Every structure is written in C-alpha cells, then in structure tokens.
Amino acid sequence: MNRFRMEHDTMGEIAVPSDRHWGAQTQRSLENFKIGGQRQPKEIITAFAYLKEACALANAGAGKLSSQQAEAIAAACREIRTGQWDEEFPLVVWQTGSGTQTNMNVNEVIAHLAAERGVTLHPNDHVNASQSSNDTYPSALHIAAALALEQQVLPAAARLAGAFQNLENAYPDLIRIGRTHLQDATPLKFAQEVSGWRALVQMPVFMLRSAQEELFRLAIGGTAVGTGLNAPKGYDEAVCGKLRELTGLPFQPDPNKFHALTSKDALVFAHGALKALAANLMKIANDIRWEASGPRCGMGELHIPENEPGSSIMPGKVNPTQCEAVTMAAVQVMGSDAAIGFAASQGNFQLNVFLPVSAYNFLLSANLLADAMESFRTHCVEGMVPNAARMEENLHNSLMLVTCLTPEIGYENAAKCAKKALEEGTTLKEAVLSLGLLTSEAFDEAVRPEKMV
C-alpha cells in the first residue's frame, strides 16, 4: 500500500499520508509551522464541529447546499465532537494569526469523511460555503470559551463553593482569633471565615456569567472583512439559531461584524473574570496553608489531608501540596491574562491576527482552573478539619481581646494594657488588674469572645 497520496490546492500538489483524512492545506501547515508542538486546543476543534454543522444546515435552508450535502457535513461534525477523529487535527497554535489553516483542516477532514460515505464535497465550495476563516475562527473561539465556562469552570466552582458551605455548616459556633496585617485581631467564627472563602469562589461566578453574555455574540456572517460578502441574507441568525439548538447556549449574531472580526474585548473581559477567580483561589489556598502550617511550630489551626510524603530527606514531613498546585495554576492564569491582553491589542484594520494564541491561553486557563478547583476540593477542602483546641488556645492568648474593653476603659488605657501584657509576658487580665482599671468580675463579664463575633 502506498504510504502517501497526492492532494492539491491552488498552489499545486503535495503528498499527504494515505491514512489521514486531511488535505493539502493542512499538510502545508504541518510542514511550514514546526513550532512549539502545542496543538490547537481540542475545544476549538469541537467548537468548529458545532459551527460547521450549523453553517451547513443554514446553507441548506438558503438553498446553497443540498440536504444530502448538509447532512453529510453534519454527520461528520457529530463524529468529530465525540473525539473519534482527534488525530486528524494535528496543527499547532503557532500558525497564521487568523487560524486559517485550522479552519481548512476542519473543512478538509469533513470533506474526506463525507467522501467515504459517498458524498462528494469540496472543502472550500461546500464545507466552507458562506464562510471565511476570518469569521469562523473568531466564532469558534467564542463558542469554545462559552462552552468551557459552562461545562467546566462554573460547575467546578459551584462544587467548591458547596464544599465550603458544608464546612460552615459543620462548625457554626467555633470561635477563633482573627488576623489582619499578619497580626492578631479581634475574634470571629470559623464559619464566618469560611463564608468569606465561599464568597471568594462565588463572586467571580457572577462575573463569568456576565462575561458569557459577551461571548454569546458571534462574528459568523461577516465573512472576510465584516461585509458578509458571499453569505445569504439572514445567514448569521440562521447559523446562531442552529447553534442554540445544538449547544443549548443563547448564541446570537454580533450586530457589528466589523467589531466582531477585529476586537477580542469579550475574551479579555471573560478572561479577566477568570483572573479574578484565580486571584481569589490564590488567597484561599494561601490562607489554608498558613493556618495548617506546623504541625508543631506553625499556626496549626487547621488539619488538612495528608496525601503523600512531603520530603525526600525529612521522614514524616507532609506538605500542603494541593494549595501549592492551586497557587501555581493561578500564576499561570495571570500570565495567560497578560498574553490575551497583548493579543487583543494587536491586529490591523479589519482583522485581529492573534486568534490561536488567544484561544490557547483562554482555554488553558479554563481547564487549569476547573481541574485545580476539583483537585483542591476533593483532596483538601472536603477533608479539612479545624484544630479546635489550638484555636481556643490562640484565642484566649490574644491581646486583641482588649478591643472589647475600650468602651469601659478607653482606647488609650486599653492600649496600655495590651502593651504591658506583651512586655511582661503576662495575660491581658493580669495587666488590666495590675493597672487597677477593672475588677476580675468586670473583666470576665466584658471579655467574652462569643459576644464579639
């Protein structure tokens, strides 16, 4: 069997591996862009498979494709979405900035799959009918981003917030000392602190929901420069209507295609919400690993699951590895945000030509955050237990309980008591009594942490 077959495009013939379903333009890209090795994200290929099916059905409705041709395209797209043909999409991120070769890769694979079923399709004339890479790749990018948020990030965030809610419910009355500026502060309930962690996950979800509304607007129908050349009237709405049926998400045409082809502001906005979530996860993970530090020489106020040995030299050492993984993921998301911001500021005239790098970084962030939240929840948060004895010890050893005495003895006298106790190594009560500011009974009545929360 011949290992290669000859395919052609407008530049001539080129040899393509005979066991592959792609064509000439995909092969040229493979040979011309041997850069990095990072493939186009699978989510982009899935999004293209949704888009190409919707475009085929809209074209059939407009009389530009026969029902047989449209169904052959749709059938191939459905198979692509299952992952059956993943190895047919080998192109790297670092290619043309419009993603043209990836659009053609999808067109060529669909055409070859249809040919195996007895339907002859041309990658450009039929699969790419009424389309341009300039409106399909931006549309696929929005579809992929919206689906990643809907199917991965938002469910993972909801589950993590739920785990924190369960922790709140399990310890409703446990009181601990608060800390601000890394210094002792007034008391609060452990459940109140955890509610803050829960909200740190939930608030960016509202931002992501708002950002999704921007991602739902698609460039499709703009074709090459935004004018809609070669697309039938109403094509953009017809495609979006089919996409709504296929995905369950409310995609709609961007009313200004000149904006849609050139601007990546919706992606910047959405990734900003991902960055906000990453920043909050960084804060939560840092809080937890500080409070779990020890076991004897740190804060030691939380017990977190012991998942694996922590040192190759120190026997028995266990580290807060899930917290470390979350914080590393957060750092990567922050780097990706910078890349997307720079990419969105570029491009000239009627097209942004930094689309694949934007897609790569956005989907990397979405995948990282979804996976990190799942891992953090299952391997850390759900097994986390407060060290009530250590919390109580630190609570009653804190000098900031003096705050509740200021109504009785005044701010300056309260400060004197705190400083005296610190300097002399005594308790707060001993300092207050030695200064003659309150009786023992009055102190005990005033300094009651449960009344301070």
Side-chain angles (χ1 to χ4, degrees):
M1 179 180 175
N2 195 333
R3 293 177 54 217
F4 294 93
R5 69 177 189 275
M6 298 307 294
E7 289 276 343
H8 77 277
D9 58 15
T10 57
M11 297 188 71
E13 290 191 330
I14 187 170
V16 174
S18 57
D19 62 342
R20 293 304 183 189
H21 290 79
W22 62 70
Q25 292 199 45
T26 302
Q27 189 64 34
R28 292 190 196 283
S29 184
L30 270 175
E31 295 179 7
N32 290 334
F33 296 99
K34 296 179 181 179
I35 302 173
Q38 294 83 14
R39 286 189 179 187
Q40 289 284 322
K42 176 176 167 55
E43 294 89 346
I44 285 291
I45 304 304
T46 298
F48 261 110
Y50 278 118
L51 182 63
K52 294 294 179 179
E53 179 173 356
C55 288
L57 297 174
N59 276 319
K64 295 193 70 171
L65 292 177
S66 70
S67 59
Q68 183 189 38
Q69 290 171 325
E71 180 48 40
I73 293 171
C77 288
R78 289 192 290 269
E79 289 185 1
I80 290 169
R81 292 200 295 272
T82 68
Q84 181 177 345
W85 303 107
D86 283 354
E87 292 307 308
E88 300 296 331
F89 303 100
L91 300 188
V92 296
V93 171
W94 321 105
Q95 52 163 282
T96 180
S98 62
T100 298
Q101 283 96 41
T102 290
N103 180 46
M104 287 307 303
N105 183 193
V106 175
N107 291 336
E108 290 173 347
V109 171
I110 290 172
H112 279 90
L113 291 174
E116 291 182 351
R117 294 160 174 78
V119 180
T120 300
L121 297 174
H122 190 282
N124 298 82
D125 294 337
H126 300 118
V127 187
N128 202 61
S130 310
Q131 303 156 58
S132 162
S133 299
N134 295 355
D135 67 347
T136 57
Y137 199 105
S139 297
L141 173 51
H142 276 210
I143 293 167
L147 286 171
L149 296 183
E150 188 69 23
Q151 297 175 354
Q152 298 178 63
V153 178
L154 296 174
R159 288 189 288 270
L160 179 57
F164 284 129
Q165 182 70 69
N166 292 337
L167 196 59
E168 289 176 63
N169 296 341
Y171 302 96
D173 300 317
L174 179 61
I175 299 175
R176 57 165 309 150
I177 198 65
R179 295 177 179 86
T180 58
H181 303 272
L182 297 181
Q183 304 294 308
D184 300 350
T186 57
L188 75 161
K189 290 182 177 181
F190 175 64
Q192 291 171 325
E193 179 181 39
V194 176
S195 77
W197 295 339
R198 171 174 52 79
L200 283 165
V201 176
Q202 291 174 325
M203 290 302 107
V205 167
F206 295 121
M207 301 172 199
L208 288 168
R209 288 290 184 194
S210 177
Q212 270 189 312
E213 296 300 318
E214 309 305 316
L215 293 173
F216 291 146
R217 286 196 280 272
L218 303 184
I220 196 68
T223 66
V225 297
T227 61
L229 180 67
N230 292 346
K233 185 176 181 180
Y235 178 74
D236 54 356
E237 174 51 42
V239 173
C240 288
K242 298 298 181 183
L243 283 170
R244 290 193 290 270
E245 294 175 13
L246 292 170
T247 66
L249 295 180
F251 292 109
Q252 57 184 304
D254 192 309
N256 188 322
K257 301 298 190 296
F258 307 102
H259 163 265
L261 267 62
T262 58
S263 175
K264 295 281 91 54
D265 50 14
L267 202 71
V268 171
F269 182 40
H271 197 276
L274 287 177
K275 183 174 71 169
L277 176 59
N280 286 358
L281 290 172
M282 173 82 83
K283 192 267 188 215
I284 295 168
N286 280 337
D287 281 356
I288 289 173
R289 64 176 167 180
W290 270 110
E291 293 180 15
S293 62
R296 292 187 174 178
C297 300
M299 287 176 64
E301 294 189 352
L302 284 178
H303 294 303
I304 58 175
E306 299 181 353
N307 297 320
E308 62 274 313
S311 173
S312 61
I313 189 173
M314 293 175 281
K317 194 173 192 295
V318 178
N319 295 330
T321 51
Q322 289 296 317
C323 296
E324 292 167 5
V326 168
T327 56
M328 286 193 291
V331 166
Q332 179 59 60
V333 171
M334 293 172 189
S336 293
D337 192 72
I340 288 173
F342 283 122
S345 72
Q346 301 301 307
N348 304 104
F349 307 118
Q350 278 70 60
L351 186 68
N352 179 288
V353 289
F354 288 75
L355 298 177
V357 70
S358 299
Y360 175 74
N361 279 280
F362 188 96
L363 294 166
L364 174 62
S365 292
N367 290 330
L368 274 177
L369 288 178
D371 288 349
M373 286 189 288
E374 281 293 281
S375 184
F376 189 46
R377 175 180 62 84
T378 58
H379 297 296
C380 183
V381 175
E382 290 182 342
M384 194 162 62
V385 177
N387 183 344
R390 187 63 174 266
M391 285 185 178
E392 184 175 2
E393 176 187 353
N394 287 340
L395 173 66
H396 291 288
N397 194 41
S398 171
L399 299 178
M400 287 305 100
L401 296 179
V402 76
T403 305
C404 67
L405 295 180
T406 55
E408 304 292 332
I409 63 176
Y411 183 93
E412 293 192 11
N413 280 332
K416 288 178 184 178
C417 293
K419 291 179 179 180
K420 180 178 176 64
L422 180 61
E423 291 168 0
E424 297 178 359
T426 62
T427 66
L428 185 61
K429 183 175 182 179
E430 288 171 329
V432 171
L433 295 180
S434 72
L435 289 173
L437 295 170
L438 289 174
T439 65
S440 177
E441 293 77 11
F443 181 91
D444 292 340
E445 178 61 28
V447 184
R448 294 174 60 183
E450 67 273 12
K451 288 187 173 182
M452 300 172 68
V453 297

